[in-house]
Amino acid sequence: MADYKAPLRDMRFVLNEVFGAPKLWQTLPALAEVVDAETAEAILEEAGKITANSIAPLNRSGDEEGCSWVDGAVTTPAGYPEAYRLYAEGGWVGVGGDPAYGGMGMPKAISAQVEEMMNSASLAFGLYPMLTSGACLSIYAHASEELKQKYLPNMYAGVWSGSMCLTEPHAGTDLGIIRTKAEPQADGSYKVSGTKIFITGGEHDLTENIIHLVLAKLPDAPAGSRGISLFLVPKVMVNEDGSLGEHNSLGCGSIEHKMGIQASATCVMNFDGATGWMVGEPNKGLAAMFTMMNYERLGVGIQGLATGERSYQSAIEYARERIQSRAPTGPVAQDKAADPIIVHPDVRRMLLTMKALNEGGRAFSSYVALQLDIAKFSDDAEARQRAEALVALLTPVAKAFLTDMGLETTVHGQQVFGGHGFIREWGQEQLVRDCRITQIYEGTNGIQALDLLGRKVVGSGGELYNAFAEEVRSYCAAAGSELGEFTAPLQAALENLDALTSFVIDSAKRNPNEIGAASVEYLHVFGYTAYAYMWARMAEAAVGKETQDDFYASKLGTARFYFARLLPRIHSLSASVRAGSDSLYLLEASQF
Ligand SMILES: Cc1cc2nc3c(=O)[nH]c(=O)nc-3n(C[C@H](O)[C@H](O)[C@H](O)COP(=O)(O)OP(=O)(O)OC[C@H]3O[C@@H](n4cnc5c(N)ncnc54)[C@H](O)[C@@H]3O)c2cc1C
């Protein structure tokens, strides 16, 4: 596999030239003091170095070796503890954390780029810090000041890690039916008992303590999702003076053997009356989890993009070097026995699809990250509200579309290598295996689509949808005529999405199955339209500069490819949506 090289040029382009992020940060009080264009640049450069030099080289060996479990102890692959220490010492775990507790205080638009680099370098490695920052977000937003003081500084510093314990053997998507119990104790703590499965980083040898955030039910809890509370349960008890005490009553029963991310420990966790403390209010645990979910789900979307980027970097190098057959228009490499495969139309189709989806995904995830920053830091209530609406609407799109496109991209990357993509040596098959989980965890992509169409679009009577549609409409109306080749198809795509949205809102009134029948294809139509908006904005930032720098010429060429070859996918997807749910219910369960 080609060495990983962080796509810093494109990240800079997206942040500075497309979205003007440094200017935006200056308008957000908490950010104006801590970040400007130079700081952002320095952080991204450093992140590029550590991920490329210290983490990327462990990706293949980590996959080969995997994690091992002996008597409850989990050992990560060789080199992982050292690399994790280096990563933690650089302050990267707390890059987005509040400086009051030792975090770096950076906006999500920067930590999103860092996440991309880390996950391109190694998705399995990246999960450990990612779960830690996810746990920190919930503690920061909902825990008591005492818990925050006690746990956050060591978690941001990467000395302790975090895990999210939601799933149980019988309860994945439907967390309302979990059985883990929390019994209140006289001293204000709780005894937590139950079994959680599939817990990423539930046990490992990277840090001296692991802080589990566990969903459980109080004895008198109402049934369903309104009866779930959230608890902080440390692996090792923390004394009043901050030193480590006794081992808590919990353990790792086993780790899973799985398709990919072999270096990430996926654990069965048993809690046997383990001591914990409530985070947030009784029976409001799911709401507390939702605080981190918008960040986490965007982060999982970025994992899809990250594997796609790594796959592209290898594929483009291979396509320039591998020689097979002659170009249809006549020999190109006269001095060689055959031409490099990059001359062939189908190989170009695959490479350009990868490039267009990766760069579209990078712009889209950065756009959503900027909305998260506005929602969190703006002192203008109206701007905050609008950004919150966009985050609510676009987060399921970012999670599902970026990961679906991530898998498509890694499969194209594998295909570019032919048979060499199927064997292990070149690393392409690992990227396909690793990427696959991103469509499943953190809420399956089917559930993301239901969230988008059911809760967000139909549930808000179209209000959230309009927040996005209005922005795209105004953008098209204000764009200059030199952008017409991009804004005309963008506007047509938006009109198609408007009509599709009205169609589903209407048909859902007649038949409750219509939302679930339409949701995945609807999300994809939405995703392609959102990427078209991103590609129009990228083209706008590149147009007129194409003769100065190949980077801009490449941007414009890729934008044209996106509009010509990828955006038209919305037509067949829209036809599927319009076909409705009837054909899904022609068979009895026994007739399948
Ligand atoms: C490697 C790995 C790491 C993980 N890490 C963690 C972790 O750190 N913490 C944690 O708590 N969990 C974790 N998970 C669990 C993961 O989040 C769940 O597997 C996922 O949410 C799906 O739950 P499930 O497996 O029980 O599938 P199910 O909920 O049983 O779903 C099965 C299928 O039915 C569909 N389905 C279910 N309900 C509906 C519905 N209402 N409408 C339409 N379709 C529906 C789903 O989309 C899916 O296709 C991890 C899983 C894996 C494999």
Side-chain angles (χ1 to χ4, degrees), residues 473-484:
R473 229 185 312 279
S474 319
Y475 173 79
C476 290
S481 58
E482 75 285 3
L483 289 175

Side-chain angles (χ1 to χ4, degrees), residues 243-323:
S243 61
L244 292 181
E246 288 182 0
H247 203 291
N248 208 346
S249 305
L250 61 92
C252 173
S254 61
I255 56 173
E256 305 294 344
H257 301 280
K258 53 197 195 289
M259 176 178 177
I261 53 166
Q262 304 295 355
S264 168
T266 308
C267 306
V268 173
M269 296 302 298
N270 298 314
F271 296 88
D272 303 314
T275 302
W277 291 269
M278 193 183 287
V279 173
E281 292 175 44
N283 302 325
K284 301 240 170 94
L286 266 194
M289 277 279 169
F290 272 119
T291 305
M292 47 71 64
M293 273 185 186
N294 284 336
Y295 284 83
E296 204 82 336
R297 286 186 168 164
L298 175 61
V300 174
I302 289 171
Q303 293 177 348
L305 159 66
T307 46
E309 170 65 27
R310 185 93 191 252
S311 178
Y312 176 71
Q313 290 191 13
S314 289
I316 186 70
E317 197 169 296
Y318 191 78
R320 288 191 184 116
E321 284 168 12
R322 172 78 172 169
I323 57 165

Side-chain angles (χ1 to χ4, degrees), residues 438-466:
T438 64
Q439 299 174 298
I440 297 172
Y441 60 20
E442 198 56 39
T444 63
N445 284 1
I447 296 302
Q448 302 301 324
L450 272 183
D451 180 41
L452 171 70
L453 190 54
R455 287 187 58 220
K456 308 290 169 58
V457 174
V458 177
S460 74
E463 196 183 316
L464 294 180
Y465 171 78
N466 286 336

Side-chain angles (χ1 to χ4, degrees), residues 127 131 163-175 196-201 256 258 260-261 264-266 437 440-447 450 516:
L127 280 162
L131 266 293
S163 89
M164 309 293 300
C165 303
L166 287 66
T167 307
E168 298 183 7
H170 67 291
T173 300
D174 187 359
L175 292 169
K196 297 285 180 180
I197 63 164
F198 296 163
I199 304 308
T200 301
E256 305 294 344
K258 53 197 195 289
I261 53 166
S264 168
T266 308
I437 185 61
I440 297 172
Y441 60 20
E442 198 56 39
T444 63
N445 284 1
I447 296 302
L450 272 183

